[in-house]
Amino acid sequence: MAHDIALTDILQRRQKIMDAFQFLGEDQQAKLEYLMDLGEALPSLTAAQRSEENKISGCMSKVWLVHREEKGVLILAGDSNTVITKGLLSLLIQLYTHQKPKIIIDHDFSWLQTIGLYQIIGAQRANGFAHMINRCKMVALRYYKQKV
Amino acid sequence: MAHDIALTDILQRRQKIMDAFQFLGEDQQAKLEYLMDLGEALPSLTAAQRSEENKISGCMSKVWLVHREEKGVLILAGDSNTVITKGLLSLLIQLYTHQKPKIIIDHDFSWLQTIGLYQIIGAQRANGFAHMINRCKMVALRYYKQKV
Amino acid sequence: MPTPSSQDSFLDTNLAAAFPILQQKIYQKSLIYLDNAATTQKPIQVIQALQQYYEQYNANIHRAAHTLSSIATRNVEDTRAMIQQWINAATTEEIIFTQGTTAAINLVAQTYAKQQLNAGDEILISLLEHHANIVPWQMLAQEKGVVLKVIPVKTDGTLDMDAFDQLLTAKTKMVALVHISSTLGIINPIEQIIQKAHARHAVVLIDGAQSIAHMPIDVQQWDVDFFVFSAHKAYGPTGLGILYGKKQYLEMMPPYQGGGGMVAHVTTHQSKYQPLPYKLEAGTPPIASICAFQEAIRFIQTIGYTKIQKIEHALLVYAQELLQKIPAITLYGTTDVKKKIGIIALNVQGMHHLDVGLLLDARGIAVRTGLLCTQPLIDYWQVDGMVRISLAVYNTFQDIAITVQALKNIIQKHGT
Amino acid sequence: MPTPSSQDSFLDTNLAAAFPILQQKIYQKSLIYLDNAATTQKPIQVIQALQQYYEQYNANIHRAAHTLSSIATRNVEDTRAMIQQWINAATTEEIIFTQGTTAAINLVAQTYAKQQLNAGDEILISLLEHHANIVPWQMLAQEKGVVLKVIPVKTDGTLDMDAFDQLLTAKTKMVALVHISSTLGIINPIEQIIQKAHARHAVVLIDGAQSIAHMPIDVQQWDVDFFVFSAHKAYGPTGLGILYGKKQYLEMMPPYQGGGGMVAHVTTHQSKYQPLPYKLEAGTPPIASICAFQEAIRFIQTIGYTKIQKIEHALLVYAQELLQKIPAITLYGTTDVKKKIGIIALNVQGMHHLDVGLLLDARGIAVRTGLLCTQPLIDYWQVDGMVRISLAVYNTFQDIAITVQALKNIIQKHGT
Ligand SMILES: Cc1ncc(COP(=O)(O)O)c(C=O)c1O
Ligand SMILES: Cc1ncc(COP(=O)(O)O)c(C=O)c1O
């Protein structure tokens, strides 16, 4: 599944994710399978990219995030040694890639509660997910500060 | 209350104690008051008799027991710094004084359960009471061994 | 005996109703529980929370791979966050779960103090301390050659602050002090003591076992370095204590115990430890007690400390007034109700404290007697024990009235 | 998938019915709990015993002056006596209450071993150890300069006894060994090891966290010096562990923590300690858990170890047979059912253990994944984690059948 970068508006992208989970309703197993599908579809990083520097600490599994800027927007890619975490990362990238740093910095993640993700991935992984979100915001902040 | 040494039979003495408690029924307060009456009635020992040697360890309060032999029977007296413990000791002396060592050694104390004493004096004091019983038996054993 | 009138409208609440154990009879008499300094009773919410834990989400925590474990983990961390806010700690990393106040003090003695103090350094405690805040320091003194100094009390049981000023020197590296005396109910001026100690660069541990249920705690405002208490003395379950420590100190501390949960990486020759708070929490913690403690905190917060203090203060005033009128009763320590909480230590003339305790018990009244785990203080009064009445928020004027009446009867019958 | 037939009449008992949590749904699916090595669930009797404690006789113990305290004290001592008989200790003084297995091992390391061992002395552990039986010894090694040696395992996960014979020398002063591996379920030949260690005058601590619920323990027959376990892994409440120690060793040990209950006489400059077991139990213990643990022991004794072993053995045989038929599944350690209890560690080819765990969880099946607090052993297999299925007596053939079917589905969908 490629990321729909055509949807430039972050709120539209968010809606798309919410719709997908809403469709799956209360079926936790299906949500997990969906996350795994996302994870399996996300292209892997090269061994070189899976460096200590790119690693996000605080997650149960190993997670890497790479980034570059292109014409004022941030381009993100990532990988993980577990498929479900890769799926989570994929959600994040889906939302954030090809966005302006300021938009990433300002985005409020409280809507995640509504899609029941925390229930299915559990407290510990939710914690790890928060670390991923943080890393994205930190990266965005760095680019943003360079510019201003 | 003087000890009824006329009742030489230990079973009769036991019965007398059981009767007294049976009469008091379920009234724990009355049983306690009865014990205190016994304690207050028991003559105190002299300061010299309240020696380290005569002290029974393992009790919550201080307890002393003195003993001598006279014509084949053991004569016991005792004291405590708390009235209720003195009452307990009084019960023991009531039962054992002027008895032959062998009778004291052989006497089984399981009947004590039936008078509800342990409930009213509590686990810790019951423990102390067991130490008093033990001391009496040890004393009796010593006299008994000297004889045979 | 008159009881305070209904003008005290805050007394309307029947808090005891939430405590199943208080509905009980002891020897056909309603239980009057006045041994709250030893442990408080638990409201039904706490008991139900334990049941819920075991019936709905019992699981081992950390590194959760499954839902139950995830729920249990979150609940444990929720409790930590509640405690942090409750006592106003700066971060949740400063809240460590232990087995009790005793374990928490031993932890600080065996990690922080053992590492930071050297032979000849001095630790100040007071004559008011519970054994839990004496023996760990004696053990350390023996092991490390640090010197234990004792702040004396004045004849009314309050800390001798002049003596404290004298004892506090450049050699003092640690002050370990009880917040509220478990025997006399006296509240120590800990803010002043902390300030003076800090001015001398001494680190301060406050034993809050008797304060947590009775007055608001603010570790940041007081700038206290370590603060410890037990859940079971604050309407919570047994087997759980809390160590608050300033992050800077907790971070410099080596771990106390080794085991699961406190390590990040283990090989057979060495281990890397987890960050705070986990570094100091080895093994499976008392999970059920931690989860259920939330309900105890909620119980306290729902009533509010203002009201708790008002109720307990009124009960204390009433009890002391009645007791002071009985000539055969000796009260220990100050009776100035501005300086103390609802703990009253007494003796009956000519009677042994154990006898008094047992006679009260036969009337369904639970008090504690003896050395009260504060032997040095009891020795100071040159007695071999005391009778202690200690109040909680669910006690009533009736409890007090009945107890005083019982004491009068006992004195009449058995006193001299 | 066929399940064993009703010829196995011992399987009729519906033990799960006594466990309220097992009647629950996780994601609309019935909970299948296979994380018993982490903690077992609790039968209703245990939950009710906790409730009874708090509703009927909650009080602090020791030096009891009142009825509640007296009842609580007696109950705590009754539990001690039950445990003594259960594991066949010589006296109740040899049974010490701790917070858990971890606390018990740390206690022995920090008292007995710290006092008796000197720099250069050796402690033997094995590669099978839980972190709780590694880190305390590493900490001691660092503090005292004692040397930690590790008994390796053979490729099937069993202890390399030849290596043990080599490692056990006159320098070995202590052997600290897990009874049953929490990761592989392998039962170590502890009787033989104890004999050999004793012949060399080494003292032996056995970590019985995984054995207590699954096989009879006889500390006197085995002549073991220290034996430790946790109540929560044996159908009991959280927050309670047991240290058994031979009286001769416990007596020579200094106290571990100082506080109330463990002292006989306290002055501000020194203290006299209580006799065993109290010397080693400072502060208010987890009273509710201790009292309720009686019901857990009764639960085990009512079924009986013979039947427990029969049930769990049959479940293990069934599970391994089914799992061995799945090519994508790797099982770790010996599958010889005579050498192990119902713990199975596995991985699915091409899948991360965390993903497998979460996918099982979404199907209502609770297993543990990851390093399982035995990182050195996991490292030995050169993986970064495993999926662990661990059984208890209330598990059923249906639990196994559903779990294996779920694994098959997962492999079909996501495996390589
Ligand atoms: C073999 C073994 N030892 C020690 C422990 C630690 O037990 P606790 O966390 O109850 O202290 C465990 C529990 O996971 C274990 O399985
Ligand atoms: C002032 C004080 N400190 C410490 C303790 C010890 O608390 P715990 O037994 O819960 O460890 C107590 C409890 O009696 C206390 O009152």
Side-chain angles (χ1 to χ4, degrees), chain C residues 60 260 282-285, chain D residues 37-38 99-103 105 129-130 132-133 178 180-182 207-210 230 232-233 240 373 388:
Chain C
N60 215 324
T284 305
Chain D
Q99 190 183 278
T101 302
T102 303
I105 297 173
E129 303 312 318
H130 187 277
N133 203 26
V178 72
I180 297 181
S181 161
S182 55
D207 171 357
Q210 294 301 335
S230 297
H232 74 91
K233 290 183 198 280
L240 173 63
C373 283
R388 182 185 67 188

PDB file of all heavy atoms in Angstrom, chain C residues 60 260 282-285, chain D residues 37-38 99-103 105 129-130 132-133 178 180-182 207-210 230 232-233 240 373 388, ligand 1:
ATOM      1  N   ASN C  60       1.058 -10.528  35.351  1.00  0.00           N
ATOM      2  CA  ASN C  60       2.319  -9.894  35.684  1.00  0.00           C
ATOM      3  C   ASN C  60       2.550  -8.722  34.744  1.00  0.00           C
ATOM      4  O   ASN C  60       2.070  -8.726  33.613  1.00  0.00           O
ATOM      5  CB  ASN C  60       3.480 -10.888  35.621  1.00  0.00           C
ATOM      6  CG  ASN C  60       4.519 -10.587  36.693  1.00  0.00           C
ATOM      7  OD1 ASN C  60       4.770  -9.411  36.997  1.00  0.00           O
ATOM      8  ND2 ASN C  60       5.105 -11.598  37.274  1.00  0.00           N
ATOM      9  N   GLY C 260      14.213  -9.282  38.042  1.00  0.00           N
ATOM     10  CA  GLY C 260      13.451  -8.941  36.849  1.00  0.00           C
ATOM     11  C   GLY C 260      12.875  -7.545  36.958  1.00  0.00           C
ATOM     12  O   GLY C 260      12.642  -7.038  38.053  1.00  0.00           O
ATOM     13  N   ALA C 282      12.789  -4.211  41.932  1.00  0.00           N
ATOM     14  CA  ALA C 282      13.150  -5.536  41.411  1.00  0.00           C
ATOM     15  C   ALA C 282      12.026  -6.531  41.675  1.00  0.00           C
ATOM     16  O   ALA C 282      11.412  -6.509  42.725  1.00  0.00           O
ATOM     17  CB  ALA C 282      14.436  -6.014  42.066  1.00  0.00           C
ATOM     18  N   GLY C 283      11.792  -7.398  40.700  1.00  0.00           N
ATOM     19  CA  GLY C 283      10.831  -8.485  40.910  1.00  0.00           C
ATOM     20  C   GLY C 283       9.397  -8.052  40.730  1.00  0.00           C
ATOM     21  O   GLY C 283       9.106  -6.882  40.478  1.00  0.00           O
ATOM     22  N   THR C 284       8.503  -9.013  40.851  1.00  0.00           N
ATOM     23  CA  THR C 284       7.079  -8.728  40.739  1.00  0.00           C
ATOM     24  C   THR C 284       6.645  -7.894  41.939  1.00  0.00           C
ATOM     25  O   THR C 284       6.792  -8.330  43.075  1.00  0.00           O
ATOM     26  CB  THR C 284       6.274 -10.037  40.717  1.00  0.00           C
ATOM     27  OG1 THR C 284       6.783 -10.861  39.671  1.00  0.00           O
ATOM     28  CG2 THR C 284       4.802  -9.766  40.491  1.00  0.00           C
ATOM     29  N   PRO C 285       6.122  -6.697  41.717  1.00  0.00           N
ATOM     30  CA  PRO C 285       5.686  -5.879  42.848  1.00  0.00           C
ATOM     31  C   PRO C 285       4.337  -6.375  43.379  1.00  0.00           C
ATOM     32  O   PRO C 285       3.733  -7.280  42.799  1.00  0.00           O
ATOM     33  CB  PRO C 285       5.552  -4.494  42.217  1.00  0.00           C
ATOM     34  CG  PRO C 285       5.254  -4.741  40.787  1.00  0.00           C
ATOM     35  CD  PRO C 285       5.927  -6.045  40.427  1.00  0.00           C
TER      36      PRO C 285
ATOM     37  N   ALA D  37       3.576 -19.095  34.012  1.00  0.00           N
ATOM     38  CA  ALA D  37       4.912 -18.997  34.609  1.00  0.00           C
ATOM     39  C   ALA D  37       5.165 -17.577  35.093  1.00  0.00           C
ATOM     40  O   ALA D  37       5.970 -17.356  35.995  1.00  0.00           O
ATOM     41  CB  ALA D  37       5.979 -19.421  33.614  1.00  0.00           C
ATOM     42  N   ALA D  38       4.479 -16.599  34.496  1.00  0.00           N
ATOM     43  CA  ALA D  38       4.613 -15.210  34.951  1.00  0.00           C
ATOM     44  C   ALA D  38       3.826 -15.016  36.236  1.00  0.00           C
ATOM     45  O   ALA D  38       4.328 -14.504  37.229  1.00  0.00           O
ATOM     46  CB  ALA D  38       4.128 -14.241  33.881  1.00  0.00           C
ATOM     47  N   GLN D  99       8.806 -10.249  50.114  1.00  0.00           N
ATOM     48  CA  GLN D  99       7.901  -9.693  49.097  1.00  0.00           C
ATOM     49  C   GLN D  99       7.781 -10.594  47.881  1.00  0.00           C
ATOM     50  O   GLN D  99       6.852 -10.461  47.094  1.00  0.00           O
ATOM     51  CB  GLN D  99       8.360  -8.300  48.663  1.00  0.00           C
ATOM     52  CG  GLN D  99       7.305  -7.615  47.787  1.00  0.00           C
ATOM     53  CD  GLN D  99       7.739  -6.257  47.265  1.00  0.00           C
ATOM     54  OE1 GLN D  99       7.646  -5.253  47.947  1.00  0.00           O
ATOM     55  NE2 GLN D  99       8.219  -6.225  46.041  1.00  0.00           N
ATOM     56  N   GLY D 100       8.726 -11.493  47.704  1.00  0.00           N
ATOM     57  CA  GLY D 100       8.676 -12.383  46.550  1.00  0.00           C
ATOM     58  C   GLY D 100       9.961 -13.180  46.450  1.00  0.00           C
ATOM     59  O   GLY D 100      10.850 -13.053  47.293  1.00  0.00           O
ATOM     60  N   THR D 101      10.043 -14.008  45.422  1.00  0.00           N
ATOM     61  CA  THR D 101      11.254 -14.777  45.174  1.00  0.00           C
ATOM     62  C   THR D 101      12.459 -13.845  45.074  1.00  0.00           C
ATOM     63  O   THR D 101      13.515 -14.109  45.656  1.00  0.00           O
ATOM     64  CB  THR D 101      11.111 -15.541  43.839  1.00  0.00           C
ATOM     65  OG1 THR D 101       9.964 -16.384  43.912  1.00  0.00           O
ATOM     66  CG2 THR D 101      12.334 -16.377  43.548  1.00  0.00           C
ATOM     67  N   THR D 102      12.285 -12.768  44.331  1.00  0.00           N
ATOM     68  CA  THR D 102      13.372 -11.819  44.114  1.00  0.00           C
ATOM     69  C   THR D 102      13.894 -11.273  45.443  1.00  0.00           C
ATOM     70  O   THR D 102      15.106 -11.262  45.685  1.00  0.00           O
ATOM     71  CB  THR D 102      12.865 -10.659  43.234  1.00  0.00           C
ATOM     72  OG1 THR D 102      12.357 -11.219  42.021  1.00  0.00           O
ATOM     73  CG2 THR D 102      13.973  -9.675  42.918  1.00  0.00           C
ATOM     74  N   ALA D 103      12.978 -10.825  46.288  1.00  0.00           N
ATOM     75  CA  ALA D 103      13.382 -10.287  47.591  1.00  0.00           C
ATOM     76  C   ALA D 103      14.067 -11.370  48.423  1.00  0.00           C
ATOM     77  O   ALA D 103      15.034 -11.098  49.137  1.00  0.00           O
ATOM     78  CB  ALA D 103      12.175  -9.722  48.331  1.00  0.00           C
ATOM     79  N   ILE D 105      15.840 -13.988  47.373  1.00  0.00           N
ATOM     80  CA  ILE D 105      17.205 -14.245  46.889  1.00  0.00           C
ATOM     81  C   ILE D 105      18.123 -13.091  47.293  1.00  0.00           C
ATOM     82  O   ILE D 105      19.240 -13.306  47.769  1.00  0.00           O
ATOM     83  CB  ILE D 105      17.225 -14.460  45.365  1.00  0.00           C
ATOM     84  CG1 ILE D 105      16.410 -15.711  45.008  1.00  0.00           C
ATOM     85  CG2 ILE D 105      18.663 -14.588  44.850  1.00  0.00           C
ATOM     86  CD1 ILE D 105      16.218 -15.929  43.513  1.00  0.00           C
ATOM     87  N   GLU D 129      19.210 -19.498  34.583  1.00  0.00           N
ATOM     88  CA  GLU D 129      18.639 -18.658  35.642  1.00  0.00           C
ATOM     89  C   GLU D 129      17.762 -17.514  35.121  1.00  0.00           C
ATOM     90  O   GLU D 129      18.046 -16.897  34.107  1.00  0.00           O
ATOM     91  CB  GLU D 129      19.745 -18.051  36.517  1.00  0.00           C
ATOM     92  CG  GLU D 129      20.672 -19.047  37.166  1.00  0.00           C
ATOM     93  CD  GLU D 129      19.953 -20.180  37.858  1.00  0.00           C
ATOM     94  OE1 GLU D 129      18.943 -19.925  38.531  1.00  0.00           O
ATOM     95  OE2 GLU D 129      20.391 -21.339  37.701  1.00  0.00           O
ATOM     96  N   HIS D 130      16.741 -17.241  35.913  1.00  0.00           N
ATOM     97  CA  HIS D 130      15.939 -16.031  35.802  1.00  0.00           C
ATOM     98  C   HIS D 130      16.815 -14.865  36.289  1.00  0.00           C
ATOM     99  O   HIS D 130      17.688 -15.058  37.133  1.00  0.00           O
ATOM    100  CB  HIS D 130      14.717 -16.198  36.713  1.00  0.00           C
ATOM    101  CG  HIS D 130      13.693 -15.115  36.612  1.00  0.00           C
ATOM    102  ND1 HIS D 130      13.806 -13.929  37.288  1.00  0.00           N
ATOM    103  CD2 HIS D 130      12.524 -15.051  35.927  1.00  0.00           C
ATOM    104  CE1 HIS D 130      12.744 -13.170  37.026  1.00  0.00           C
ATOM    105  NE2 HIS D 130      11.947 -13.833  36.200  1.00  0.00           N
ATOM    106  N   ALA D 132      16.350 -12.800  38.382  1.00  0.00           N
ATOM    107  CA  ALA D 132      16.296 -12.699  39.849  1.00  0.00           C
ATOM    108  C   ALA D 132      17.378 -13.538  40.516  1.00  0.00           C
ATOM    109  O   ALA D 132      17.744 -13.284  41.669  1.00  0.00           O
ATOM    110  CB  ALA D 132      14.924 -13.136  40.360  1.00  0.00           C
ATOM    111  N   ASN D 133      17.884 -14.540  39.826  1.00  0.00           N
ATOM    112  CA  ASN D 133      18.943 -15.372  40.395  1.00  0.00           C
ATOM    113  C   ASN D 133      20.287 -15.126  39.699  1.00  0.00           C
ATOM    114  O   ASN D 133      21.194 -15.942  39.772  1.00  0.00           O
ATOM    115  CB  ASN D 133      18.554 -16.861  40.346  1.00  0.00           C
ATOM    116  CG  ASN D 133      19.296 -17.695  41.379  1.00  0.00           C
ATOM    117  OD1 ASN D 133      19.717 -17.188  42.418  1.00  0.00           O
ATOM    118  ND2 ASN D 133      19.491 -18.978  41.085  1.00  0.00           N
ATOM    119  N   VAL D 178      18.262 -22.569  39.662  1.00  0.00           N
ATOM    120  CA  VAL D 178      16.832 -22.634  39.450  1.00  0.00           C
ATOM    121  C   VAL D 178      16.392 -24.104  39.476  1.00  0.00           C
ATOM    122  O   VAL D 178      17.107 -24.978  38.977  1.00  0.00           O
ATOM    123  CB  VAL D 178      16.456 -21.937  38.117  1.00  0.00           C
ATOM    124  CG1 VAL D 178      16.897 -22.756  36.911  1.00  0.00           C
ATOM    125  CG2 VAL D 178      14.963 -21.647  38.052  1.00  0.00           C
ATOM    126  N   ILE D 180      13.282 -25.316  38.302  1.00  0.00           N
ATOM    127  CA  ILE D 180      12.703 -25.577  36.986  1.00  0.00           C
ATOM    128  C   ILE D 180      12.863 -24.313  36.156  1.00  0.00           C
ATOM    129  O   ILE D 180      12.478 -23.225  36.596  1.00  0.00           O
ATOM    130  CB  ILE D 180      11.211 -25.947  37.107  1.00  0.00           C
ATOM    131  CG1 ILE D 180      11.050 -27.250  37.892  1.00  0.00           C
ATOM    132  CG2 ILE D 180      10.566 -26.046  35.727  1.00  0.00           C
ATOM    133  CD1 ILE D 180       9.622 -27.720  38.055  1.00  0.00           C
ATOM    134  N   SER D 181      13.418 -24.455  34.975  1.00  0.00           N
ATOM    135  CA  SER D 181      13.641 -23.293  34.114  1.00  0.00           C
ATOM    136  C   SER D 181      12.319 -22.634  33.749  1.00  0.00           C
ATOM    137  O   SER D 181      11.414 -23.284  33.228  1.00  0.00           O
ATOM    138  CB  SER D 181      14.370 -23.724  32.836  1.00  0.00           C
ATOM    139  OG  SER D 181      14.191 -22.735  31.834  1.00  0.00           O
ATOM    140  N   SER D 182      12.231 -21.332  33.984  1.00  0.00           N
ATOM    141  CA  SER D 182      11.003 -20.604  33.687  1.00  0.00           C
ATOM    142  C   SER D 182      10.798 -20.435  32.183  1.00  0.00           C
ATOM    143  O   SER D 182       9.706 -20.103  31.747  1.00  0.00           O
ATOM    144  CB  SER D 182      11.035 -19.229  34.365  1.00  0.00           C
ATOM    145  OG  SER D 182      12.196 -18.523  33.986  1.00  0.00           O
ATOM    146  N   ASP D 207      16.015 -21.925  43.557  1.00  0.00           N
ATOM    147  CA  ASP D 207      14.943 -21.009  43.169  1.00  0.00           C
ATOM    148  C   ASP D 207      13.760 -21.855  42.704  1.00  0.00           C
ATOM    149  O   ASP D 207      13.753 -22.370  41.595  1.00  0.00           O
ATOM    150  CB  ASP D 207      15.466 -20.096  42.047  1.00  0.00           C
ATOM    151  CG  ASP D 207      14.362 -19.244  41.430  1.00  0.00           C
ATOM    152  OD1 ASP D 207      13.187 -19.390  41.822  1.00  0.00           O
ATOM    153  OD2 ASP D 207      14.686 -18.439  40.541  1.00  0.00           O
ATOM    154  N   GLY D 208      12.774 -21.973  43.593  1.00  0.00           N
ATOM    155  CA  GLY D 208      11.637 -22.843  43.314  1.00  0.00           C
ATOM    156  C   GLY D 208      10.421 -22.111  42.768  1.00  0.00           C
ATOM    157  O   GLY D 208       9.303 -22.638  42.825  1.00  0.00           O
ATOM    158  N   ALA D 209      10.638 -20.919  42.204  1.00  0.00           N
ATOM    159  CA  ALA D 209       9.507 -20.127  41.698  1.00  0.00           C
ATOM    160  C   ALA D 209       8.631 -20.929  40.744  1.00  0.00           C
ATOM    161  O   ALA D 209       7.407 -20.817  40.771  1.00  0.00           O
ATOM    162  CB  ALA D 209      10.014 -18.851  41.017  1.00  0.00           C
ATOM    163  N   GLN D 210       9.262 -21.762  39.919  1.00  0.00           N
ATOM    164  CA  GLN D 210       8.485 -22.502  38.924  1.00  0.00           C
ATOM    165  C   GLN D 210       8.135 -23.909  39.367  1.00  0.00           C
ATOM    166  O   GLN D 210       7.436 -24.625  38.648  1.00  0.00           O
ATOM    167  CB  GLN D 210       9.231 -22.558  37.576  1.00  0.00           C
ATOM    168  CG  GLN D 210       9.383 -21.196  36.904  1.00  0.00           C
ATOM    169  CD  GLN D 210       8.056 -20.508  36.624  1.00  0.00           C
ATOM    170  OE1 GLN D 210       7.010 -21.152  36.496  1.00  0.00           O
ATOM    171  NE2 GLN D 210       8.084 -19.183  36.560  1.00  0.00           N
ATOM    172  N   SER D 230       7.497 -17.677  45.128  1.00  0.00           N
ATOM    173  CA  SER D 230       6.527 -16.586  45.219  1.00  0.00           C
ATOM    174  C   SER D 230       5.121 -17.154  45.325  1.00  0.00           C
ATOM    175  O   SER D 230       4.772 -18.089  44.605  1.00  0.00           O
ATOM    176  CB  SER D 230       6.577 -15.714  43.953  1.00  0.00           C
ATOM    177  OG  SER D 230       7.829 -15.099  43.804  1.00  0.00           O
ATOM    178  N   HIS D 232       2.412 -15.707  44.313  1.00  0.00           N
ATOM    179  CA  HIS D 232       1.587 -15.370  43.141  1.00  0.00           C
ATOM    180  C   HIS D 232       1.771 -16.341  41.983  1.00  0.00           C
ATOM    181  O   HIS D 232       0.974 -16.339  41.052  1.00  0.00           O
ATOM    182  CB  HIS D 232       1.841 -13.926  42.687  1.00  0.00           C
ATOM    183  CG  HIS D 232       3.154 -13.722  41.992  1.00  0.00           C
ATOM    184  ND1 HIS D 232       3.292 -13.844  40.630  1.00  0.00           N
ATOM    185  CD2 HIS D 232       4.381 -13.412  42.468  1.00  0.00           C
ATOM    186  CE1 HIS D 232       4.569 -13.595  40.310  1.00  0.00           C
ATOM    187  NE2 HIS D 232       5.238 -13.333  41.401  1.00  0.00           N
ATOM    188  N   LYS D 233       2.807 -17.155  42.038  1.00  0.00           N
ATOM    189  CA  LYS D 233       2.986 -18.169  40.990  1.00  0.00           C
ATOM    190  C   LYS D 233       2.393 -19.513  41.418  1.00  0.00           C
ATOM    191  O   LYS D 233       2.542 -20.508  40.720  1.00  0.00           O
ATOM    192  CB  LYS D 233       4.473 -18.324  40.676  1.00  0.00           C
ATOM    193  CG  LYS D 233       5.079 -17.113  39.963  1.00  0.00           C
ATOM    194  CD  LYS D 233       6.540 -17.355  39.624  1.00  0.00           C
ATOM    195  CE  LYS D 233       7.272 -16.069  39.319  1.00  0.00           C
ATOM    196  NZ  LYS D 233       7.052 -15.557  37.973  1.00  0.00           N
ATOM    197  N   LEU D 240       3.891 -11.434  47.933  1.00  0.00           N
ATOM    198  CA  LEU D 240       4.342 -12.344  48.993  1.00  0.00           C
ATOM    199  C   LEU D 240       5.285 -13.412  48.440  1.00  0.00           C
ATOM    200  O   LEU D 240       4.986 -14.055  47.446  1.00  0.00           O
ATOM    201  CB  LEU D 240       3.132 -13.032  49.651  1.00  0.00           C
ATOM    202  CG  LEU D 240       3.447 -14.128  50.666  1.00  0.00           C
ATOM    203  CD1 LEU D 240       4.213 -13.581  51.857  1.00  0.00           C
ATOM    204  CD2 LEU D 240       2.174 -14.838  51.125  1.00  0.00           C
ATOM    205  N   CYS D 373      12.837 -12.596  30.990  1.00  0.00           N
ATOM    206  CA  CYS D 373      13.677 -12.424  32.180  1.00  0.00           C
ATOM    207  C   CYS D 373      14.768 -13.484  32.285  1.00  0.00           C
ATOM    208  O   CYS D 373      15.201 -13.843  33.393  1.00  0.00           O
ATOM    209  CB  CYS D 373      12.850 -12.417  33.473  1.00  0.00           C
ATOM    210  SG  CYS D 373      11.993 -10.872  33.737  1.00  0.00           S
ATOM    211  N   ARG D 388       6.424 -17.828  24.813  1.00  0.00           N
ATOM    212  CA  ARG D 388       6.353 -18.862  25.842  1.00  0.00           C
ATOM    213  C   ARG D 388       4.914 -19.197  26.200  1.00  0.00           C
ATOM    214  O   ARG D 388       4.122 -18.322  26.561  1.00  0.00           O
ATOM    215  CB  ARG D 388       7.076 -18.420  27.104  1.00  0.00           C
ATOM    216  CG  ARG D 388       7.059 -19.496  28.197  1.00  0.00           C
ATOM    217  CD  ARG D 388       7.664 -19.006  29.486  1.00  0.00           C
ATOM    218  NE  ARG D 388       6.861 -17.960  30.108  1.00  0.00           N
ATOM    219  CZ  ARG D 388       7.238 -17.260  31.170  1.00  0.00           C
ATOM    220  NH1 ARG D 388       8.429 -17.488  31.712  1.00  0.00           N
ATOM    221  NH2 ARG D 388       6.459 -16.334  31.682  1.00  0.00           N
TER     222      ARG D 388
HETATM  223  C1  LIG E   1      12.540 -19.062  38.049  1.00  0.00           C
HETATM  224  C2  LIG E   1      12.104 -17.738  38.548  1.00  0.00           C
HETATM  225  N1  LIG E   1      12.827 -17.129  39.507  1.00  0.00           N
HETATM  226  C3  LIG E   1      12.455 -15.944  40.028  1.00  0.00           C
HETATM  227  C4  LIG E   1      11.347 -15.290  39.585  1.00  0.00           C
HETATM  228  C5  LIG E   1      10.997 -13.957  40.179  1.00  0.00           C
HETATM  229  O1  LIG E   1       9.830 -14.027  40.965  1.00  0.00           O
HETATM  230  P1  LIG E   1       9.164 -12.702  41.560  1.00  0.00           P
HETATM  231  O2  LIG E   1       9.050 -11.748  40.422  1.00  0.00           O
HETATM  232  O3  LIG E   1       7.853 -13.145  42.065  1.00  0.00           O
HETATM  233  O4  LIG E   1      10.071 -12.187  42.627  1.00  0.00           O
HETATM  234  C6  LIG E   1      10.566 -15.882  38.593  1.00  0.00           C
HETATM  235  C7  LIG E   1       9.351 -15.218  38.090  1.00  0.00           C
HETATM  236  O5  LIG E   1       9.245 -14.826  36.970  1.00  0.00           O
HETATM  237  C8  LIG E   1      10.956 -17.139  38.069  1.00  0.00           C
HETATM  238  O6  LIG E   1      10.233 -17.730  37.116  1.00  0.00           O
END
